Amino acid sequence: MDSIVILTGAGISAESGLGTFRDVDGLWTKYDLNDVATPEGFARNPALVHDFYNARRDNCRAAAPNAAHVALARLERDFPGKVLIVTQNVDDLHERAGSRAVWHMHGELLRALCAACGHRWAAPDRMAPTDHCPACTARATRPDVVWFGEIPYRMDEIFEELAACDLFVSIGTSGEVYPAAGFVELAAEAGVDTLELNLDASFRARAFREQREGPATEIVPAWVEEILT
Ligand code: APR
């Protein structure tokens, strides 16, 4: 086996204390995603959206990578082939655990974007509608996060990697949001082996050749140990 593509979702960061979206006390049970995770919501009330991401940025900075993030960083370091993490998560826990090949298809909490000129920079702890873009000075700054209705990042490259790898592993995602939810079909159609590691059977569980259930901090390190020995 030469290359592994790993898709991660909020479930891999759950045991680091960062909320998931659709679990019992998930973020979308506390906030209306239309208000805080759509371009329309941002246009309606930018201060509310900035407050939502300021709170998530605080949670992210206060959180620490867990054993699942650390295991994936070990896999990248010790596996003789290629390991790529494509994450739906906007936290930086994979990077802080030591992973280097991490593609954030839904953007990053710790990055800011200017809606006027496209400039990107490291987000300050607190963002507000009155901020000016450091490049063009327009008051058009936003979190560099992909909202519903927007196009996720690096999709063409991701599709290429999915078709070319030997194993596709999905960790901690409900499989309810496309295009990520469709990755397992693309991989399977390309003859790629598929494995799901999740707390419980996801919406797409039946599409995987193998499906293991349990907390990521237990089943991800165990799987990595299997691959490396
Ligand atoms: N270990 C493993 N899996 C877990 C754990 C855990 N400790 N806790 C929860 N999970 C699983 C849940 O069973 C669920 O299947 O993680 C998944 C979380 O699903 P969601 O809350 O839907 O999160 P995610 O799949 O990442 O959402 C996808 O939706 O809201 C958008 O852009 C947002 O990136 C997000 C996308």
Side-chain angles (χ1 to χ4, degrees):
M1 178 163 53
D2 297 327
S3 78
I4 305 172
V5 171
I6 300 165
L7 170 70
T8 62
I12 199 169
S13 297
E15 290 162 273
S16 294
L18 295 186
T20 63
F21 294 96
R22 295 170 185 83
D23 287 329
V24 168
D25 54 355
L27 278 171
W28 297 151
T29 64
K30 296 173 189 147
Y31 295 89
D32 178 343
L33 67 83
N34 295 297
D35 292 339
V36 293
T38 61
E40 298 77 14
F42 185 63
R44 248 190 336 267
N45 189 340
L48 174 71
V49 175
H50 276 305
D51 286 347
F52 175 67
Y53 287 97
N54 289 339
R56 292 184 65 193
R57 204 169 290 115
D58 289 345
N59 293 342
C60 178
R61 291 193 198 284
N66 63 52
H69 299 105
V70 172
L72 294 186
R74 176 190 172 213
L75 180 69
E76 181 185 55
R77 191 184 59 240
D78 298 344
F79 179 66
K82 179 178 172 184
V83 174
L84 169 66
I85 294 174
V86 175
T87 186
Q88 299 171 93
N89 299 338
V90 291
D91 62 62
D92 64 340
L93 297 182
H94 283 302
E95 290 88 344
R96 284 161 56 193
S99 288
R100 291 191 307 278
V102 181
W103 293 359
H104 287 266
M105 63 182 285
H106 289 168
E108 298 174 70
L109 260 186
L110 304 186
R111 305 280 297 161
L113 168 66
C114 174
C117 74
H119 178 61
R120 283 181 168 84
W121 65 100
D125 285 350
R126 322 212 67 64
M127 294 183 74
T130 47
D131 295 348
H132 292 269
C133 167
C136 75
T137 76
R139 283 173 53 173
T141 66
R142 58 169 279 185
D144 186 14
V145 169
V146 177
W147 286 326
F148 287 96
E150 296 184 323
I151 311 289
Y153 294 154
R154 306 186 73 163
M155 290 313 300
D156 292 342
E157 297 166 88
I158 292 168
F159 292 143
E160 279 174 32
E161 294 293 336
L162 278 174
C165 70
D166 300 298
L167 173 62
F168 169 64
V169 186
S170 177
I171 303 174
T173 178
S174 59
E176 296 203 35
V177 176
Y178 284 81
F183 287 178
V184 57
E185 265 87 19
L186 288 172
E189 279 160 18
V192 174
D193 191 9
T194 56
L195 166 66
E196 180 180 79
L197 305 175
N198 207 55
L199 187 63
D200 47 33
S202 78
F203 199 67
R204 315 306 324 277
R206 284 185 304 285
F208 290 86
R209 183 189 63 75
E210 184 187 358
Q211 202 263 329
R212 298 182 192 179
E213 292 185 24
T217 55
E218 288 173 23
I219 63 176
V220 175
W223 169 70
V224 168
E225 183 63 21
E226 264 177 46
I227 291 285
L228 295 179
T229 52

